[in-house]
Amino acid sequence: MNDVFCPRCGVKNPGASAFCGACGAPLVPQPSTPAESALATAPPTAIQVPPPPPNPYPPPPNAYAPPPPGAYPPPPGAYPPPAGVYPPGYPAAKVVGDNTKWAVGLGIAALFCCGPFTGIPGIFLAKKDMDEIAAGRAPHLDDGWAKGAFYLNIIALGLFVLGICLFWGGAGLRRF
Amino acid sequence: MYGRTDKLVASGMLVSACAILAVAGWLKPAAIGYGTHTQLGLPPCNFLRLTHLPCPSCGLTTCFAWAIRLQFWKAFLANPFGILAFLGTVATIPTSIFLLWRRLSFRRITESAHFTKAIYAGTALYFLSWIFKLADLQFAGH
C-alpha cells in the first residue's frame, strides 16, 4: 500500500494510517495510478477550474438595454409620491397643515375687521402646528407657513391695539 | 411642569374674565344693537362705516351688556355668537380658579385635540352668527 501524505501538514504516513501521526488530521487513501497520485498530492489551491464555455446564444443586435437610473423624467401624474418612497437625499415635499390654513384665513379676517376675535384663535391654531413640527410629530408639514400664519395673527392683533391707541391719542389731542 | 408662567396665565385669565364681566355690567346696552363699545372711548366699526353692513364682531359688547343683565333674548339678537362668548367668559372664572388650585398648566387644555375642535366650532359659529345678523338686517330690519 502506498504511503499517504497528510493534507494538512504534508507529513508522510504509512498507507494503512487513518490519521496523521504528526497532526492527527484524518487521512484519505492515495490513488494507485501516477496521474491520480500527482493530483492527490497537489495542494487544493493548485486545482485549476476551467473557464465557463462561451454563451451559445448571444443577444440579438437590437436587444433592449435598460436605461441608466435617472436617464428619463418620471411620468406625468406621478407626483406627489407617497411618503417614504423618496430616494436618499431627495427632499420630501412639505404640505401646509389644516390648522395653518385656517390660521391664515383667521389672520386675514383679523386684519380687516375681526381683530382679536379671529386673531387669538388663529394664533392658537398656528402655534399648534408649530409645536407639532418642532416635536417631530408632523415632519411633513411646512414650518414656514405655520410661522407665517402665527406672525400674521400677531401683526393683526398688534395693528388692532395700535389703531385703538391712535384713536385714543387722537381723541386726547383733539380735547386740547 | 408647573411654573410661574402657568400661574401668571391662569391669574391673567381670571382677572381678565372678571374685568370683562364688570365692564359689561357697567356699560349701558345700545338700543340699536351695536355701538355699545363707543362708551369706552373706542372707535366705531370701520367695516360698518364703509359697507353699511355689520361686521362679524358688531354687537358683541351689546350682547355682553344684555347677557350680564340676564336678558338673553336681546343678547342673542345683538350677536348670537356673543352668547357663547359670554358663557365662555363666565366659565373661565371657575376654570382658572381650578387651574390655580390644582397647579395645572393652561397648556394641558390648549394642547388637547378637543380644544382645537372647539376653536373650529367657535369659528364656524362666529361666521354663522354673522350670516344670521346680515339676514336679520335684510329681512327684519333690526
Side-chain angles (χ1 to χ4, degrees):
Chain A
M1 180 161 277
N2 295 331
D3 293 336
V4 291
F5 292 91
C6 175
R8 182 190 291 175
C9 63
V11 171
K12 188 177 179 183
N13 291 277
S17 304
F19 297 95
C20 175
C23 68
L27 299 173
V28 291
Q30 295 293 302
S32 54
T33 61
E36 287 174 348
S37 175
L39 275 175
T41 52
T45 55
I47 298 172
Q48 297 293 319
V49 178
N55 186 2
Y57 305 106
N62 295 326
Y64 171 77
Y72 297 105
Y79 288 103
V85 298
Y86 297 101
Y90 188 87
K94 302 276 186 179
V95 296
V96 181
D98 288 340
N99 288 338
T100 302
K101 288 176 189 169
W102 276 88
V104 169
L106 293 175
I108 292 169
L111 271 179
F112 282 103
C113 61
C114 303
F117 300 107
T118 54
I120 292 172
I123 287 171
F124 273 114
L125 289 179
K127 190 75 171 63
K128 193 151 187 90
D129 269 4
M130 285 169 66
D131 288 345
E132 293 286 315
I133 295 165
R137 289 191 292 267
H140 61 289
L141 296 185
D142 194 332
D143 191 34
W145 270 94
K147 283 181 179 167
F150 179 78
Y151 290 119
L152 172 70
N153 284 281
I154 293 279
I155 289 168
L157 275 184
L159 287 175
F160 179 80
V161 173
L162 182 68
I164 289 174
C165 291
L166 286 176
F167 183 81
W168 271 343
L173 285 176
R174 279 194 294 274
R175 283 183 194 153
F176 290 105
Chain B
M1 178 69 79
Y2 187 78
R4 191 178 173 183
T5 310
D6 300 315
K7 203 172 180 178
L8 279 174
V9 168
S11 305
M13 285 166 50
L14 178 63
V15 170
S16 304
C18 291
I20 287 170
L21 294 179
V23 168
W26 174 69
L27 291 172
K28 186 182 175 187
I32 54 173
Y34 55 85
T36 307
H37 67 286
T38 54
Q39 297 172 37
L40 295 168
L42 294 170
C45 180
N46 279 326
F47 190 89
L48 183 67
R49 277 200 311 188
L50 291 173
T51 64
H52 302 288
L53 292 171
C55 83
S57 309
C58 275
L60 269 178
T61 320
T62 310
C63 172
F64 269 60
W66 282 123
I68 198 78
R69 291 166 174 81
L70 304 179
Q71 302 281 328
F72 288 107
W73 179 244
K74 288 180 180 174
F76 179 83
L77 289 178
N79 192 315
F81 175 77
I83 297 280
L84 189 69
F86 177 79
L87 294 177
T89 308
V90 171
T92 300
I93 294 173
T95 304
S96 49
I97 290 172
F98 179 76
L99 291 176
L100 285 168
W101 174 47
R102 297 295 300 268
R103 298 172 66 82
L104 294 172
S105 173
F106 184 58
R107 289 179 72 89
R108 282 188 65 160
I109 298 174
T110 58
E111 286 177 352
S112 70
H114 296 299
F115 186 76
T116 311
K117 287 176 188 169
I119 287 182
Y120 280 125
T123 305
L125 288 174
Y126 179 72
F127 287 105
L128 280 175
S129 162
W130 186 35
I131 292 170
F132 171 81
K133 276 182 70 70
L134 291 175
D136 186 49
L137 183 79
Q138 180 73 26
F139 298 113
H142 284 137

